[in-house]
Amino acid sequence: MISFLRGTVAHVGLSSAVIDLNGAGMSVNATPQTLSSLHVGEEGKLFTSLIVREDSLTLFGFASDDERVVFDVLLSVSGVGPRLALAVLAVHEPEAIRVAAHSGDGKAFTKVPGIGPKVAGRIVLELAGKLVPHGTAGASVPQVSAESVWKPQVVAAMTSLGWSEKDAAASIDKSLADSPDLAAAGNVAEILRATLRWLGQDGARAGNRVGARG
């Protein structure tokens, strides 16, 4: 695996750069922010992730190892490829992505071009527990405790998946009726998953609203 590249910057384009490694030019795709830090003729260093396909080998470069780590985790979400994962990092800093995933904030991901409510909801669901904001890993205290704080976040995540606010709020209340400890802990991601399990949803049908249509 190629973990990083260090060499003379030979070219900087709109979506990629070329790093000269002792006469070998390595093309690397990167975000506009990362590319803006590179200057032709000067030394540059990029942390990298190599994507292997049947017909291609593509390098993606990042200004920090933290960005590379978040990029690799984003690729674990079904339907999220390297281009879309890079687009997420072009819009949000790594820590903002961690916070959005940990708190169930699907709307944060809809700010990324190419990501609609359903994909954003899937990202939140599949990243829950995988990306934790710095300073909260291993903490025994709940991230939030008051219903007035966590419930709007869960409702917002569900409305991004297609439910109305009324149906979302009612479903949350019913799903937590027999789980007072979960409600007291106030973990947004866990409550969201519990509500969707109660509804019998698996993510693939997340766009369906609870209740009768008419």
Side-chain angles (χ1 to χ4, degrees):
M1 178 180 177
I2 303 175
S3 298
F4 70 87
L5 297 177
R6 187 200 303 272
T8 302
V9 179
H11 171 75
V12 178
L14 295 176
S15 60
S16 64
V18 176
I19 306 296
D20 185 343
L21 303 178
N22 297 319
M26 301 291 287
S27 179
V28 187
N29 295 279
T31 65
Q33 297 94 312
T34 296
L35 292 171
S36 68
S37 69
L38 301 176
H39 304 284
V40 175
E42 297 182 5
E43 183 180 82
K45 178 181 178 181
L46 294 176
F47 294 88
T48 58
S49 180
L50 178 63
I51 305 300
V52 180
R53 297 286 186 262
E54 291 183 1
D55 59 349
S56 67
L57 297 174
T58 307
L59 273 175
F60 290 84
F62 311 93
S64 68
D65 191 52
D66 192 29
E67 288 186 357
R68 183 192 61 77
V69 169
V70 172
F71 174 82
D72 288 340
V73 174
L74 284 168
L75 292 181
S76 69
V77 178
S78 57
V80 175
R83 301 288 180 182
L84 196 55
L86 195 66
V88 174
L89 282 164
V91 174
H92 297 296
E93 294 289 333
E95 186 65 7
I97 296 171
R98 287 189 170 90
V99 171
H102 192 61
S103 65
D105 183 10
K107 289 186 177 180
F109 293 102
T110 62
K111 296 178 182 179
V112 179
I115 295 182
K118 290 185 180 180
V119 174
R122 185 163 65 246
I123 290 175
V124 167
L125 288 177
E126 296 189 25
L127 289 187
K130 293 182 180 180
L131 288 178
V132 179
H134 292 309
T136 62
S140 59
V141 295
Q143 64 181 73
V144 288
S145 58
E147 181 176 326
S148 61
V149 176
W150 62 254
K151 191 169 184 179
Q153 297 181 59
V154 181
V155 169
M158 291 187 67
T159 54
S160 74
L161 291 171
W163 279 274
S164 67
E165 290 189 10
K166 179 180 178 181
D167 286 340
S171 297
I172 294 167
D173 292 340
K174 292 177 181 178
S175 67
L176 296 182
D178 297 322
S179 304
D181 292 341
L182 184 59
N187 186 300
V188 173
E190 290 296 327
I191 292 172
L192 175 60
R193 286 191 291 185
T195 302
L196 294 181
R197 284 197 299 268
W198 180 84
L199 287 166
Q201 304 294 331
D202 62 2
R205 297 180 296 142
N208 295 330
R209 291 185 178 181
V210 63
R213 293 175 180 269

